Amino acid sequence: MINRRKFLKLAGSGAITLISSAAIPSQTKSFALSTQTTHTQVEADLIINIRSQPGQVPIFSGPKTNVWKYSAEVLAGDPSSITDMGDESYLGPIIRAKKGQRIRIQFQNDLPARSIIHWHGLHVPADMDGHPRLAVPAGGQYTYEFQVQDRAGTYWYHPHPHGRTGYQVYGGMAGLFLVSDKREEDLNLPSGNYEVPLVIQDRTFDSDNQLVYLPGGMMSRMTGMMGDSILVNGIPDFRLDVSTRVYRLRLLNGSNARAYKLAWSDGTPLTIIGTDGGFLSRPLKKSSVMLGPGERLDVWADFSKNVVGDILHLVSQSFTDGVSGMMGGRHMGRGMMGRKQNLLNGTKLNIMNVRVIKKENESRKLPQQLVQEGSITPNDTLNPDTPRKFELSMFHMHGLINGKSFEMTAVADDEIVEAGTSEIWEFKNTNQRMGMMGMQVPHPMHLHGAHFRILERSGVSLDSYMDEGWKDTVLLMPGERIRLLVRFGQHPGLFLYHCHNLEHGDAGMMRNYLIENKSSTTNRFQVT
Ligand code: C2O
Ligand code: CU
Ligand code: CU
């Protein structure tokens, strides 16, 4: 196990001395658990400045769109650790790191609002996780120091200030965090121009090309923000030009609330090689795959059978999310400017066009074994027969988990777990009647500080879940119940579990749980 103590040290505000992008920590240094009142400095392999600030991007012709955007620069370490998404995109740069790397990220919040960055899917110490209690004010700073301990995979970063996460992410604040490792290198997957990050989001724009957030008032808070335009990497009508060969597509559903039922328009199955927490043990073919907000997919896309001139579409097929009936068909919550109707969750959509433009010969084969891993079963958990149960509901304008809304630092007695252990957790999306105040809606549940496997679903209404592999976010449609085998990280402290429908999280469908480390005398939890 990687131990953060091995690489952090207390130091003055001097220059960084050790920089080596490939190094795995070998030196032992003592450190004090950093708080933001002491200035700690990492002996880091990678040092990055990230700034969040208002900006303008040319999304459409005509007026530029006002956005909030992350920008970054590498201060020390491999300069290719950051890839800008371009001036036309509001997305933050892609951060690339290697497993084992020690990273220091200096966050400068130049938004006119409180904010904090969360590293979605990464196991980091509790005070490095971007918990809302750590949000810094406009003009404030926060320094992150952590070692990348997760497997190669598609992770991401976004703000997490309580009550404002949906607004800030919608405004443009999100980016990918790609981790690589030795195993990934050995797999020799398509890379460079053949490895394509695809962040799928929906947005509503007014006639001046400006973002419209929650135009439908209370109802759109309940469903979450559903935009009427689909953007990929911040670009509407996204087109990918490809050669007749294999591509690796790394998909993130970065939407606030919309789920997608992804499929190729020509009926070719999707070949899935990875999910939230990295590679599956072996590739999986599915005719369509649900991707809820926050979830990721690593896709092997083989265009070698295509010919130049072919056009394919990545689409989202229609599905029923349980809300449409109540919404009175397709006409409620219409867009503010009357441009288009607000598209309900489950509406059939085009996500992007793929145009085959070049002939290339390639003899790449899909690896049959991606990663090797020992099996883990319910009997390896602390509670094989007595799952911890969580009921999800919306009531009045509050999101509830077991009847409780988010409290900034509170943890209930049944929200305490032990570091490094595994438990069965069960989430239930209550199928309550749609009265005036209650409502059935999908809930994509997400855990910080832990990864999980999906053991079983019941009450299932859809056939296109991809429930293999290690996950950190899982979609529950109304009436569904899901059993997870959760493996908690080694870092003690307060971590969140919440609905990744960002409007639901902001409405309180979020709680803390506490990871305790009983075997350690020094790591007892303290609220900082
Ligand atoms: Cu991606 Cu707590 O969030
Ligand atoms: Cu997260
Ligand atoms: Cu929800």
Side-chain angles (χ1 to χ4, degrees):
M1 256 300 119
I2 289 150
N3 188 331
R4 186 163 164 268
R5 271 173 244 181
K6 289 194 173 137
F7 74 94
L8 291 185
K9 66 166 190 176
L10 280 170
S13 56
I16 303 305
T17 47
L18 172 96
I19 305 301
S20 148
S21 63
I24 298 293
S26 54
Q27 293 210 313
T28 302
K29 295 260 176 9
S30 63
F31 83 109
L33 222 155
S34 71
T35 69
Q36 296 297 311
T37 50
T38 36
H39 286 280
T40 62
Q41 291 221 319
V42 177
E43 278 195 46
D45 304 309
L46 180 61
I47 302 173
I48 297 173
N49 271 358
I50 296 191
R51 178 186 298 259
S52 58
Q53 65 196 132
Q56 294 197 314
V57 289
I59 299 178
F60 303 99
S61 61
K64 290 187 175 179
T65 304
N66 295 312
V67 297
W68 284 0
K69 182 172 173 166
Y70 289 117
S71 59
E73 61 181 331
V74 177
L75 293 193
D78 184 353
S80 69
S81 304
I82 280 178
T83 315
D84 206 81
M85 296 297 283
D87 292 342
E88 275 137 62
S89 179
Y90 52 75
L91 287 178
I94 299 174
I95 301 175
R96 284 170 211 271
K98 294 190 171 80
K99 182 174 179 179
Q101 270 186 332
R102 301 159 296 178
I103 301 187
R104 175 183 168 90
I105 298 173
Q106 298 164 169
F107 169 49
Q108 172 69 39
N109 177 24
D110 286 337
L111 298 173
R114 296 175 68 74
S115 199
I116 192 74
I117 307 176
H118 166 59
W119 316 100
H120 181 127
L122 295 179
H123 286 87
V124 298
D127 56 351
M128 299 297 144
D129 195 46
H131 187 282
R133 79 193 141 89
L134 305 172
V136 297
Q141 285 127 22
Y142 199 91
T143 301
Y144 297 88
E145 298 164 341
F146 58 85
Q147 182 160 30
V148 178
Q149 67 173 77
D150 290 282
R151 309 192 301 170
T154 308
Y155 306 94
W156 63 301
Y157 62 97
H158 62 76
H160 225 305
H162 186 52
R164 301 301 284 167
T165 299
Y167 182 85
Q168 293 192 4
V169 172
Y170 190 75
M173 309 269 293
L176 289 170
F177 193 117
L178 304 180
V179 174
S180 60
D181 64 10
K182 182 70 175 55
R183 179 60 193 160
E184 182 185 56
E185 264 171 51
D186 292 346
L187 286 171
N188 189 28
L189 296 168
S191 61
N193 290 335
Y194 307 113
E195 178 192 355
V196 185
L198 298 167
V199 180
I200 306 170
Q201 295 173 311
D202 58 339
R203 297 285 185 273
T204 295
F205 298 90
D206 68 15
S207 53
D208 292 321
N209 297 341
Q210 300 310 309
L211 289 164
V212 181
Y213 185 60
L214 295 180
M218 190 172 106
M219 188 56 72
S220 63
R221 264 173 220 280
M222 294 296 270
T223 60
M225 177 65 211
M226 297 285 169
D228 58 20
S229 303
I230 300 300
L231 291 87
V232 173
N233 297 343
I235 295 167
D237 302 315
F238 187 83
R239 194 182 77 200
L240 180 67
D241 289 345
V242 300
S243 303
T244 55
R245 52 162 289 150
V246 177
Y247 283 73
R248 178 181 183 191
L249 308 180
R250 308 185 72 162
L251 277 63
L252 159 68
N253 180 354
S255 308
N256 281 31
R258 185 180 296 280
Y260 303 93
K261 186 182 177 186
L262 298 172
W264 290 116
S265 55
D266 65 354
T268 308
L270 282 156
T271 303
I272 314 297
I273 58 173
T275 180
D276 303 351
F279 293 113
L280 305 181
S281 51
R282 51 187 52 81
L284 188 77
K285 290 195 203 292
K286 285 195 67 83
S287 56
S288 61
V289 181
M290 289 302 298
L291 196 66
E295 291 185 294
R296 287 88 72 202
L297 275 185
D298 211 330
V299 172
W300 172 276
D302 187 350
F303 304 112
S304 64
K305 302 280 184 317
N306 287 96
V307 295
V308 173
D310 280 358
I311 295 181
L312 288 89
H313 307 274
L314 182 67
V315 298
S316 180
Q317 299 176 340
S318 66
F319 60 91
T320 312
D321 77 345
V323 187
S324 312
M326 179 190 188
M327 300 288 285
R330 307 262 164 223
H331 298 287
M332 261 189 78
R334 48 188 294 153
M336 229 178 157
M337 309 310 292
R339 233 178 154 181
K340 279 185 213 159
Q341 310 291 354
N342 246 12
L343 294 169
L344 294 174
N345 206 12
T347 305
K348 184 177 194 303
L349 298 164
N350 190 37
I351 305 296
M352 67 163 182
N353 300 332
V354 178
R355 206 173 60 160
V356 183
I357 58 158
K358 194 168 158 231
K359 174 99 190 127
E360 248 184 80
N361 289 316
E362 193 199 31
S363 55
R364 195 180 292 271
K365 287 243 153 48
L366 176 63
Q368 285 314 301
Q369 171 106 56
L370 296 161
V371 287
Q372 216 153 14
E373 43 190 3
S375 69
I376 177 163
T377 72
N379 288 328
D380 303 316
T381 68
L382 298 177
N383 59 340
D385 307 311
T386 53
R388 257 182 223 259
K389 295 189 175 176
F390 302 92
E391 283 214 358
L392 312 169
S393 59
M394 298 289 289
F395 195 69
H396 288 257
M397 290 300 286
H398 297 288
L400 303 172
I401 301 178
N402 282 345
K404 293 194 283 280
S405 270
F406 182 59
E407 301 165 86
M408 191 60 90
T409 54
V411 176
D413 289 346
D414 60 356
E415 292 174 312
I416 301 173
V417 305
E418 170 71 15
T421 62
S422 298
E423 292 190 9
I424 311 286
W425 280 28
E426 186 178 289
F427 286 102
K428 183 169 192 257
N429 185 347
T430 56
N431 200 2
Q432 68 202 34
R433 286 283 139 240
M434 293 183 263
M436 283 302 286
M437 295 304 174
M439 192 166 170
Q440 305 192 133
V441 268
H443 298 300
M445 291 305 295
H446 169 54
L447 270 67
H448 292 211
H451 283 176
F452 52 79
R453 300 195 73 106
I454 295 156
L455 294 173
E456 145 191 350
R457 284 183 192 259
S458 47
V460 177
S461 51
L462 298 171
D463 56 0
S464 34
Y465 292 115
M466 208 298 294
D467 284 345
E468 299 298 311
W470 286 100
K471 303 266 303 160
D472 57 54
T473 309
V474 63
L475 184 64
L476 280 98
M477 298 304 277
E480 286 184 5
R481 187 199 325 218
I482 194 160
R483 277 199 182 192
L484 308 176
L485 191 161
V486 185
R487 191 160 66 185
F488 303 106
Q490 298 287 349
H491 299 293
L494 266 194
F495 291 91
L496 296 170
Y497 64 105
H498 64 91
C499 182
H500 219 285
N501 176 318
L502 298 179
E503 284 67 42
H504 291 180
D506 283 342
M509 191 175 278
M510 173 153 72
R511 293 285 302 171
N512 290 307
Y513 75 100
L514 175 61
I515 299 185
E516 282 194 329
N517 194 345
K518 295 197 188 107
S519 52
S520 159
T521 50
T522 54
N523 280 338
R524 279 299 295 192
F525 169 71
Q526 295 167 355
V527 176
T528 56

